Amino acid sequence: AGLLGVGLAKKTMLSDDGRSGQLLEHAEEVHSIAFSPDGVYLFSGGEDAKVALWHIPTGQCVHEDRMRSAVKAVAFSPDGDVIAAGDWACSIAVWSCFGAREKLGSLSVEGEVRSLALASKPAGLLAVGTAEMKVALFSVPGMDRVVELCPRMHVNALAFSPDGTSLCSGGGV
């Protein structure tokens, strides 16, 4: 077992022994990162509109895709089956973490994406917080809109409870 440090300014992954590892290979600033629940993968998104899924033990990029604009939020589902990314162009994309890592769906929301959260139980849900002071919930993998909430603030942070029955948001005006 080891620890992984991410030097975002240097765009490198570092092992727990301090030796430099695999270059993250984002052309520009990295805005969001998320670990898989088992700690084996790291999902990153950045100003270059790139999302990348990194296999930590080998330091290899095992999946790469592009969004429409700068990626501002990424998330892993608690069961590790799904990853999601959102960008400033109001686009959301969701991929499977297994096999060919196929895109499960994509959609557009009203307003720049500021935050994302995924729940696995009791049902697959994606929560999207936007600059339009809204939180939209979508089913995963169907990407059907479940409900829209209006907390009257920019939604900069979202988190589901471990059992997936509660959602908290944080932000400001």
Side-chain angles (χ1 to χ4, degrees), residues 106-127:
S106 60
L107 56 89
S108 292
V109 293
E110 183 182 335
E112 296 93 358
V113 176
R114 292 197 169 199
S115 55
L116 296 174
L118 284 160
S120 304
K121 299 174 188 172
L125 288 175
L126 169 65

Side-chain angles (χ1 to χ4, degrees), residues 26-130:
H26 280 272
E28 297 181 42
E29 186 176 353
V30 173
H31 290 294
S32 188
I33 56 175
F35 276 102
S36 62
D38 62 5
V40 174
Y41 294 95
L42 181 72
F43 189 42
S44 62
E47 187 69 26
D48 56 1
K50 174 181 166 181
V51 292
L53 183 64
W54 304 91
H55 184 247
I56 293 170
T58 63
Q60 297 299 307
C61 180
V62 296
H63 175 75
E64 185 177 313
D65 209 338
R66 292 240 172 241
M67 299 289 290
R68 290 178 44 207
S69 71
V71 178
K72 294 300 179 178
V74 298
F76 249 101
S77 64
D79 62 10
D81 291 349
V82 175
I83 49 178
D87 67 18
W88 275 123
C90 312
S91 297
I92 305 292
V94 177
W95 297 266
S96 167
C97 284
F98 295 108
R101 294 182 177 84
E102 67 185 82
K103 188 177 278 187
L104 299 174
S106 60
L107 56 89
S108 292
V109 293
E110 183 182 335
E112 296 93 358
V113 176
R114 292 197 169 199
S115 55
L116 296 174
L118 284 160
S120 304
K121 299 174 188 172
L125 288 175
L126 169 65
V128 180
T130 71

Side-chain angles (χ1 to χ4, degrees), residues 144-161:
D144 298 315
R145 185 179 295 264
V146 176
V147 68
E148 185 173 273
L149 310 170
C150 298
R152 291 186 225 140
M153 65 180 169
H154 297 293
V155 185
N156 298 327
L158 288 167
F160 278 102
S161 61

